Amino acid sequence: MADRDTLGRLQKRLGAAAEQAGLLDVGYTVVETPVGKLLLAATQAGLVRVAFDCEDHDAVLAVLAERISPRILAAPDRLQVAAAQITEYFDGARRTFDLPLDLRLTAGFRRSVVERLRDIGYGSTATYSAVAALAGSPGAVRAVGTACALNPLPVVVPCHRVVRSDGSTGGYRGGPAAKRLLLNLEAAA
């Protein structure tokens, strides 16, 4: 156990030193939640990615290295506020997230959908067609589904609140069980 503790302290010091020297473009941490381990990644601009364990965190980090910068390190200090808010959300003590977001991983219509998702209140749902109308393209129901599936910030930007017009949950990046858990968590409040 001492070796793991030592490694953790060294990684934390390395992340802090890289941050202070301006050499850290993407910092990340992993938090335990009721839907499994979530990878949180942030740039200087804000939270850029939330990834479920089923997405393969190493693969997600490789994509971030390719699309943003290879200067990525575990940097839990950068993500301290985001991790605390995620924990508060799952504990039922938080209904909205108050975090700076970096939306550079989404663009065009998909970005306009992601920006509208935050308008769906805690404990509420909206259909894919309603979100299409909110995003200014009422006929783009399938495109809304794709935007939700590729939402880089699930949980924080609540694509889990988007359901099919028949009331069924539809797909979800974290899997159907995670979507049901999130919807049930919010419905119970």
Side-chain angles (χ1 to χ4, degrees):
M1 191 65 135
D3 290 338
R4 189 181 313 196
D5 291 342
T6 301
L7 180 59
R9 282 193 308 277
L10 289 172
Q11 286 177 327
K12 188 172 180 171
R13 283 179 46 200
L14 177 61
E19 180 97 58
Q20 186 176 16
L23 300 173
L24 181 62
D25 294 333
V26 180
Y28 72 90
T29 195
V30 176
V31 295
E32 292 281 348
T33 74
V35 293
K37 294 179 181 179
L38 291 179
L39 173 93
L40 308 178
T43 64
Q44 286 286 356
L47 190 66
V48 72
R49 188 71 164 87
V50 174
F52 291 94
D53 213 9
C54 64
E55 294 180 76
D56 183 358
H57 292 168
D58 289 337
V60 170
L61 292 171
V63 169
L64 292 173
E66 181 181 307
R67 293 197 53 198
I68 298 174
S69 170
R71 297 183 337 173
I72 298 176
L73 285 172
D77 288 348
R78 179 182 279 189
L79 289 135
Q80 198 169 25
V81 172
Q85 288 191 21
I86 291 279
T87 299
E88 291 167 0
Y89 169 81
F90 281 106
D91 288 346
R94 175 171 291 279
R95 292 178 177 225
T96 59
F97 292 92
D98 183 25
L99 299 167
L101 303 180
D102 181 343
L103 295 176
R104 75 174 79 189
L105 296 176
T106 189
F109 181 71
R110 289 180 186 162
R111 183 174 181 143
S112 65
V113 168
V114 167
E115 289 171 342
R116 302 307 322 170
L117 293 174
R118 296 178 89 186
D119 296 338
I120 306 168
Y122 184 94
S124 299
T125 59
T127 64
Y128 290 97
S129 59
V131 174
L134 282 173
S137 294
V141 176
R142 286 184 185 264
V144 168
T146 300
C148 288
L150 298 175
N151 174 12
L153 297 163
V155 180
V156 174
V157 176
C159 55
H160 62 275
R161 296 178 188 155
V162 182
V163 297
R164 293 183 174 152
S165 57
D166 66 4
S168 63
T169 59
Y172 190 58
R173 191 170 208 158
K179 187 168 185 173
R180 278 191 303 279
L181 187 146
L182 294 167
L183 291 171
N184 290 339
L185 170 80
E186 293 183 10

